Amino acid sequence: MGEIHSSHHKAEEKCDLLLRKNQSIGEVLHKQTKLEQNNYEIRLRVTIFSCRFLLKIALPFCGHDEMEKSNNKGLFLKVLSLIREDNEKILKVTLENAPKNEKLTSPTIQKDIDNGFQKR
């Protein structure tokens, strides 16, 4: 196994940590609260709705500059913002109120949703 600071020892230690039941990815996902699951579902539904709307009328998703202070953030974010204005639940869990590591508003996810509807 080598010395305590060897690559082999560090790899074995990381493997042991990964295999511990209470630290596995499956366990973490299982521990997600019902509220977190509901909030994610709200964010996912509004993202899909916004994408479907723009796809149906053949409008572009992104704007020239989607920075926080930009006046032209793109139609996807505008549609999402309009939906948020009328629904308190959606307002509380989307955009700046969503978890920082969530990527539902990213262009990659938008393209995946687009590809899913194109294959229908």
Side-chain angles (χ1 to χ4, degrees), residues 22-35:
N22 62 348
Q23 293 181 347
S24 71
I25 293 169
E27 186 68 21
V28 171
L29 291 175
H30 182 70
K31 287 181 179 177
Q32 223 180 12
T33 66
K34 200 67 163 162
L35 177 63

Side-chain angles (χ1 to χ4, degrees), residues 19-59:
L19 294 176
R20 287 186 187 167
K21 182 176 168 82
N22 62 348
Q23 293 181 347
S24 71
I25 293 169
E27 186 68 21
V28 171
L29 291 175
H30 182 70
K31 287 181 179 177
Q32 223 180 12
T33 66
K34 200 67 163 162
L35 177 63
E36 290 169 325
Q37 290 173 353
N38 288 338
N39 289 346
Y40 178 79
E41 186 176 330
I42 290 169
R43 289 188 296 271
L44 180 60
R45 286 181 184 275
V46 76
T47 298
I48 291 171
F49 179 83
S50 300
C51 288
R52 287 181 65 195
F53 173 76
L54 293 172
L55 288 169
K56 283 183 179 183
I57 55 178
L59 291 173

Side-chain angles (χ1 to χ4, degrees), residues 36-87:
E36 290 169 325
Q37 290 173 353
N38 288 338
N39 289 346
Y40 178 79
E41 186 176 330
I42 290 169
R43 289 188 296 271
L44 180 60
R45 286 181 184 275
V46 76
T47 298
I48 291 171
F49 179 83
S50 300
C51 288
R52 287 181 65 195
F53 173 76
L54 293 172
L55 288 169
K56 283 183 179 183
I57 55 178
L59 291 173
F61 284 44
C62 299
H64 177 68
D65 179 15
E66 293 191 341
M67 301 299 287
E68 181 100 16
K69 296 180 181 182
S70 173
N71 290 330
N72 184 15
K73 291 186 180 183
L75 294 176
F76 175 79
L77 292 176
K78 287 284 189 190
V79 169
L80 192 59
S81 296
L82 285 171
I83 295 169
R84 293 175 78 215
E85 287 177 10
D86 290 333
N87 191 316

Side-chain angles (χ1 to χ4, degrees), residues 102-115:
E102 190 166 272
K103 305 290 185 210
L104 285 176
T105 58
S106 74
T108 304
I109 299 297
Q110 293 169 12
K111 287 177 187 172
D112 287 345
I113 293 170
D114 176 26
N115 290 335

